[in-house]
Structures are given as structure tokens and as C-alpha cells.
């Protein structure tokens, strides 16, 4: 085996160490594309209050900033999940390399033993030793042994070749995975910077308001939510929604309900804080169902149902870029983790533009 082959074990050790490094915050995949990319995700934050201190305009600016942060959070979460899976793949490849090296060493020992045996018989191959025999019965017995030995030798060579080829492929795969993880570490860091930039901008904008204005702003947001919910209910949609929660759906709702009042923290999956998809994924995990971590992947991968067929426990995906998700609990209400500065709360299902409804269980 050449120098390249001898380096395979070093590769195995290196990739295992690499996984340890990449498992730390900052190692990840690039984010998947959004259903409809949001221009606000890359728009430079405007930190100035409107000249007239029009609070409605302030509210709209804050919505824009927090929405951009939500888009970036979904990208960050997707990167985090992908990193976990890829790290596991690298560990598996490293294990295969180690096992392959062990098998190769055993085969080399067998080959060495055969060579030593041949040396002890005078350096003559079995065929030559056989031809020198004067005993017919010994000749016949020896002929069978020669055939068996030839087959064994061919099998040994074939196995050695196969293992060497496997090791080379495992090494190439591990190197490719490592390169991809290293590149995506930067993508995850970029998403994190974007999140922090948008949240900092929103907090700075809010900090410029007097306490009285903050209270008025909160009332404006409440009025906007009520207006949107009323418009949604006025369509008569609740007259059509009469689905009953499944057993798993009831467990998911119970979990989400128990989290009400806990703070929103981007990237959080509990138990002390959550982001929107962290809450929904953990709620359904508690019900025995593993679903995608991000709102975008929940929108892409879970079975979609019509709004009129919605039942408690289903997930409602919001906005054209699927950047928010909530758990429907019935009677036109949802439980969700809204945004930074807020807590897990009960809200109207129609307070945000609905993109789709998806069902985690059959």
C-alpha cells in the first residue's frame, strides 16, 4: 500500500476532530431558498424615526425589521440542522475508514503468513512442490489443496483491492464533506450577523420612543392584529372549519400551551425559550412526531391541507416566504412565538397573511 493509502487513517482521525470543531456554534450549511425571497432580508435598516413621529410608520418599520430577522433566523436554523446531519455523516465515514484499516491490516497479516509459509518450503510454490511428489495419493490430495489455495489467494487479492478502493472513496467523501461544512460555516455566520443587525436596528428604533409612545405603539399593533383577525373571521371561514384534533395533535397543543409566557429567542428550541419553528417542532416532537426544524421546511415537506379542512394541531405557515409558523389550537386561534421582545402567546390565526396549512400527522 502506497503513502496515500497509509494516510487514510490520519484522514479518519482528522475528520473526527473536525466534527468536534464544526459542531460548535458557527458550523453549518447554507440556507435553503425561500418560497418567495423577501427583499427586506437584505434592505439596510432605517434607524431614524419619521419626522412627524407617526407611530403607524414606526410600527411598519419595526415589522419590516423583525420580518427580516425572522427570514434570517429560518436560514440560520436550516444551516444548524444541516450541520448536525452532515457532522453525523462525517463521523460515520471516519468509522468506516477505521474499520477498513483494521480489515486491511488483518488481510495483510494473512498475506504475510502465506509468504512466510512459502519461504519455509524452500521458496517453491505449491504447484512446484506437488510436481516433485512421487506418491500418487499425495499428488491427488495436493492437487485439491492447490486449487483451494489458488481460490483463496484470488479471493484475498480481490478483497484487498476492494477494501483499498473503499478506503479511497471514504477518504474522498470525507474530504468533500469537510470542504462543504467549512464553506457553510461562513454562511451560518452570515445569517447570524443578519439576525443581530436587524434586531439591533429594531431595538434602537424602539429606544428612541418615549414611554407614552411605546404604549401607543403597542395599542396600534393590537388594533392592527384585531383588524386583520376580524377581516379573516368575516369571511365565514370558521363556519367551514370543524375538524377535530387527533390524539397526537392534542399532545402537541398541550405542549405548546404549557410554553405560553416563555420568551422568544432566535434559534431556540426550548425548554426555556423558543423561536417560532422551535416551538412547533418541539410541540410535535412531544407528540412523538419528528418534523423539520424550520418554517420553510415545514411548509415544503409536510402535507398541505385546505384552510377549511384545518384541524387543531395543524401548523399555519405565514407570509409569502414562509418565514413564520404557528400551531392552530381551534376556534380561530393559534399559539406561537412571535418575535424578539415578545413571549409565546395565544393569538388570532388571521392576524398575519396565511401562506398555507400543513399537517404533521396522517
Amino acid at each position: 500500500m502506497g503513502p496515500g493509502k497509509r494516510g487514510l487513517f490520519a484522514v479518519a482521525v482528522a475528520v473526527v476532530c473536525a466534527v468536534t470543531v464544526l459542531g460548535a456554534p458557527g458550523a453549518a450549511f447554507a440556507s435553503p431558498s425561500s418560497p418567495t425571497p423577501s427583499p427586506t432580508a437584505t434592505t439596510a435598516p432605517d434607524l431614524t424615526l419619521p419626522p412627524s413621529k407617526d407611530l403607524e410608520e414606526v410600527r411598519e418599520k419595526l415589522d419590516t425589521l423583525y420580518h427580516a430577522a425572522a427570514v434570517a433566523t429560518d436560514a440560520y436554523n436550516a444551516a444548524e440542522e444541516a450541520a448536525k446531519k452532515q457532522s453525523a455523516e462525517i463521523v460515520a465515514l471516519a468509522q468506516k475508514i477505521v474499520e477498513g484499516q483494521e480489515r486491511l491490516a488483518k488481510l495483510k497479516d494473512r498475506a504475510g503468513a502465506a509468504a512466510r509459509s512459502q519461504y519455509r518450503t524452500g521458496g517453491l510454490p505449491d504447484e512446484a512442490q506437488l510436481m516433485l511428489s512421487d506418491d500418487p495419493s499425495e499428488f491427488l490430495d495436493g492437487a485439491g489443496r492447490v486449487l483451494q489455495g489458488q481460490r483463496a489467494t484470488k479471493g484475498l487479492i480481490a478483497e484487498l483491492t476492494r477494501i483499498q478502493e473503499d478506503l479511497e472513496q471514504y477518504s474522498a467523501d470525507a474530504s468533500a464533506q469537510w470542504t462543504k461544512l467549512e464553506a457553510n460555516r461562513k454562511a451560518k455566520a452570515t445569517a447570524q450577523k443578519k439576525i443581530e443587525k436587524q434586531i439591533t436596528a429594531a431595538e434602537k428604533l424602539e429606544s428612541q420612543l418615549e414611554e407614552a409612545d411605546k404604549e401607543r405603539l403597542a395599542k396600534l399593533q393590537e388594533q392592527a392584529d384585531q383588524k386583520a383577525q376580524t377581516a379573516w373571521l368575516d369571511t365565514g371561514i370558521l363556519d367551514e372549519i370543524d375538524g377535530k384534533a387527533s390524539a397526537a395533535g392534542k399532545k402537541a397543543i398541550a405542549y405548546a400551551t404549557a410554553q405560553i409566557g416563555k420568551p422568544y429567542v432566535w434559534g431556540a428550541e426550548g425548554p426555556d425559550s423558543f423561536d417560532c419553528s422551535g416551538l412547533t417542532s418541539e410541540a410535535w416532537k412531544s407528540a412523538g412526531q419528528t418534523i423539520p426544524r424550520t418554517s420553510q421546511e415545514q411548509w415544503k415537506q409536510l402535507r398541505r391541507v385546505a384552510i377549511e379542512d384545518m384541524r387543531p394541531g395543524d401548523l399555519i405557515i405565514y407570509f409569502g416566504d414562509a418565514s413564520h409558523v404557528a400551531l392552530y389550537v381551534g376556534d380561530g386561534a393559534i399559539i406561537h412565538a412571535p418575535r424578539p421582545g415578545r413571549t409565546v402567546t395565544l393569538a388570532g390565526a388571521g392576524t398575519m397573511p396565511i401562506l398555507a396549512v400543513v399537517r404533521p400527522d396522517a
Side-chain angles (χ1 to χ4, degrees):
M1 185 170 67
K5 307 291 195 309
R6 288 195 297 271
L8 290 173
F9 186 77
V11 173
V13 175
V15 293
V16 172
C17 294
V19 169
T20 303
V21 174
L22 290 171
F29 272 95
S31 63
S33 58
S34 299
T36 304
S38 170
T40 60
T42 55
T43 302
D46 181 356
L47 305 183
T48 60
L49 286 172
S52 63
K53 295 187 75 171
D54 183 336
L55 289 181
E56 179 57 30
E57 189 175 342
V58 172
R59 189 186 69 80
E60 291 174 358
K61 280 189 177 184
L62 289 172
D63 281 349
T64 297
L65 291 168
Y66 282 123
H67 180 253
V71 173
T73 298
D74 218 42
Y76 180 94
N77 290 336
E80 181 72 11
E81 286 302 291
K84 291 177 183 177
K85 292 179 182 178
Q86 191 134 18
S87 294
E89 291 174 3
I90 290 178
V91 170
L93 284 168
Q95 183 61 37
K96 287 181 179 179
I97 290 173
V98 172
E99 291 172 353
Q101 284 284 351
E102 292 173 349
R103 291 198 303 272
L104 197 60
K106 291 178 181 178
L107 289 174
K108 288 173 66 178
D109 286 344
R110 284 172 54 190
R116 290 190 295 273
S117 175
Q118 182 172 318
Y119 176 79
R120 287 194 298 270
T121 60
L124 294 176
D126 290 341
E127 292 90 338
Q129 295 279 347
L130 181 61
M131 294 303 294
L132 296 175
S133 174
D134 292 328
D135 187 338
S137 63
E138 184 179 327
F139 181 91
L140 292 175
D141 290 342
R145 288 196 300 273
V146 167
L147 290 174
Q148 291 176 353
Q150 288 176 338
R151 286 194 292 268
T153 300
K154 288 181 180 178
L156 179 63
I157 293 173
E159 190 171 359
L160 277 166
T161 301
R162 179 181 60 78
I163 290 177
Q164 288 176 346
E165 291 174 348
D166 286 347
L167 286 172
E168 289 176 351
Q169 187 60 54
Y170 296 153
S171 179
D173 290 346
S175 296
Q177 298 281 33
W178 164 254
T179 299
K180 190 178 295 184
L181 276 175
E182 178 61 19
N184 288 319
R185 181 191 66 79
K186 298 177 182 178
K188 181 179 172 184
T190 298
Q192 180 173 344
K193 288 180 181 178
K194 187 177 292 185
I195 295 167
E196 293 170 347
K197 180 179 181 181
Q198 301 298 327
I199 292 176
T200 298
E203 291 174 345
K204 184 172 182 179
L205 185 59
E206 288 180 297
S207 71
Q208 298 177 59
L209 296 172
E210 302 292 340
E211 285 302 317
D213 286 337
K214 289 180 181 179
E215 292 177 5
R216 288 174 53 209
L217 183 64
K219 288 187 178 297
L220 279 176
Q221 185 61 58
E222 184 180 342
Q223 290 169 3
D225 290 345
Q226 289 176 347
K227 181 178 179 181
Q229 176 73 354
T230 299
W232 185 66
L233 294 176
D234 284 348
T235 63
I237 188 65
L238 283 190
D239 294 334
E240 302 180 52
I241 301 174
D242 59 0
K244 304 298 182 183
S246 64
K250 290 178 181 178
K251 291 180 181 178
I253 292 171
Y255 179 92
T257 301
Q259 313 314 312
I260 289 177
K262 293 184 178 179
Y264 175 104
V265 174
W266 65 267
E269 302 175 75
D272 300 321
S273 58
F274 297 87
D275 63 18
C276 68
S277 56
L279 176 65
T280 54
S281 60
E282 288 300 305
W284 271 98
K285 183 186 292 185
S286 75
Q289 187 81 24
T290 299
I291 65 174
R293 169 64 176 87
T294 71
S295 58
Q296 288 186 359
E297 289 305 311
Q298 290 170 6
W299 177 82
K300 291 176 184 177
Q301 297 184 34
L302 299 180
R303 183 164 67 92
R304 298 181 197 177
V305 297
I307 293 179
E308 57 269 23
D309 295 328
M310 182 166 61
R311 69 188 187 193
D314 287 344
L315 306 182
I316 303 181
I317 310 296
Y318 291 98
F319 303 108
D321 52 15
S323 58
H324 192 69
V325 61
L327 186 77
Y328 183 64
V329 296
D331 295 325
I334 57 172
I335 291 176
H336 71 144
R339 64 168 176 80
R342 302 277 180 84
T343 61
V344 175
T345 188
L346 190 70
T351 54
M352 297 166 284
I354 296 174
L355 175 63
V357 176
V358 296
R359 180 163 294 162
D361 63 339

